[in-house]
Amino acid sequence: MTVVLAPDSFKGSIAAAAAAAALAEGWRSVDPDTAIVPRPMADGGEGTLDAFAAAIPDATRVPVTVTGPHGRPLAASWLLLPPTDDAPRGTAVVELASTSGIELLGSALLPLDAHSLGFGQAIAAALDHGVSRLVLGIGSSASTDGGMGVLTALGARFTDAAGQAIPLGARGLDALVAADLTALRALPGGGALVLSDVTNPLLGAFGAAAVFGPQKGLGQSAVIRADAGLRRLAELLPADTDTPGAGAAGGVGFALRAWGARLVPGAAEVAGLIGLPEALAAASVVVTGEGSFDGQSAAGKAPTHVGALAAAAGVPVALVAGRITADADTSAFAHAVSLTELAGSADAALADPARWLRAAGAALARG
């Protein structure tokens, strides 16, 4: 029997690779002879680097020090994938969550001053290394800066009416008058692929500020202010504000599109890049999951995509989630296990997710 383990991260609780390891440990406690194939998933947010590192042999973490979203030095890394025919100098995977992500701020959100500069600095480091291609995960952003931080690190200059550089973060959008892209670095030969799990436009009621700004600490008046600032930015950069995903990561999707990168649904692209379809071809069962499986999980989230791939391959699929809400549709899964139910409460499940993931793995192995 061969079991493919393809969970996403349990956001704020346990990373995808660690979740897969815990599930494997639980399964083997019941059936030690089962062949376990870990393929931890990601959709562009936290855990994207870990997913590639776990699935691709000889991937190498390259350390880099960047300026975090709080303005302080931050030790991070990007991932170098081995050379291929279409990327002879390797592919760099760079993750916004670990360089400019909201989790890095803890409870001290900086709605107007957090920025994406560190993400851009990590991308610049990968370019300095000479990679042939970039894969950029942009989930879990701390800021609503329209991606100005990213482009600044790559050579762009954003200025006010006096020709002075504007402050980093959403606050700087207030004074934005001009954008100079003449020194912007070129994309690598193989281009840049941007992984996102949202399709929001940059502006308006469904845009970066209105939908995601409150999660980052923006109040109602600040949301209006930020949206107006993003509109000024949009007049200066060569990209379509309605491109699906332009509003991802506080507008980083829009900025990267203006750079020439291609925006794609994260879960589907990650699955292909880590070889999940090939792993499913030899699988007896696949287990997927995430922190909260709810009514929105069908909209491009990793477990739903894994379930669709499994169905196409004729492989039964099981779901393990931190919680499964009442509005969630689990009809595509042969089994659905809630860690909250196993642990007796959400607090207990969150306190020791690895323990309850092991219990879930054992329960699935017993059938």
Side-chain angles (χ1 to χ4, degrees), residues 53-240:
I56 299 179
D58 301 323
T60 305
R61 289 184 185 272
V62 182
V64 62
T65 299
V66 302
T67 303
H70 37 52
R72 301 188 298 273
L74 174 72
S77 64
W78 56 275
L79 193 71
L80 178 63
L81 306 186
T84 60
D85 289 344
D86 57 350
R89 296 187 304 280
T91 295
V93 182
V94 189
E95 180 187 271
L96 185 148
S98 61
T99 51
S100 301
I102 193 167
E103 299 292 334
L104 299 170
L105 297 179
S107 60
L109 300 179
L110 298 169
L112 295 177
D113 297 308
H115 53 73
S116 59
L117 183 70
F119 182 47
Q121 290 171 333
I123 295 171
L127 292 175
D128 290 343
H129 192 85
V131 298
S132 299
R133 182 175 60 177
L134 294 168
V135 174
L136 308 174
I138 62 170
S140 306
S141 167
S143 68
T144 312
D145 72 347
M148 289 192 302
V150 173
L151 296 185
T152 295
L154 294 173
R157 189 166 183 264
F158 298 94
T159 54
D160 60 18
Q164 299 300 307
I166 62 173
L168 291 169
R171 187 183 305 279
L173 291 166
D174 291 342
L176 177 63
V177 169
D180 182 357
L181 307 182
T182 55
L184 190 62
R185 298 185 64 162
L187 289 166
L193 208 58
V194 181
L195 312 178
S196 173
D197 67 344
V198 303
T199 57
N200 300 69
L202 179 67
L203 305 172
F206 300 101
V211 175
F212 306 111
Q215 301 169 8
K216 301 167 188 180
L218 290 178
Q220 184 176 1
S221 62
V223 164
I224 296 171
R225 172 181 167 188
D227 189 68
L230 292 172
R231 194 171 298 277
R232 282 192 291 277
L233 177 66
E235 294 172 354
L236 302 174
L237 295 183
D240 184 352

Side-chain angles (χ1 to χ4, degrees), residues 234-311:
E235 294 172 354
L236 302 174
L237 295 183
D240 184 352
T241 61
D242 290 328
T243 299
V252 167
F254 173 76
L256 291 175
R257 186 70 193 90
W259 189 37
R262 184 161 64 95
L263 274 61
V264 297
E269 201 66 34
V270 170
L273 289 168
I274 67 174
L276 181 60
E278 292 81 1
L280 292 179
S284 309
V285 65
V286 60
V287 181
T288 188
E290 64 180 349
S292 177
F293 192 80
D294 54 34
Q296 296 183 2
S297 293
K301 299 296 185 179
T304 300
H305 184 70
V306 173
L309 288 177

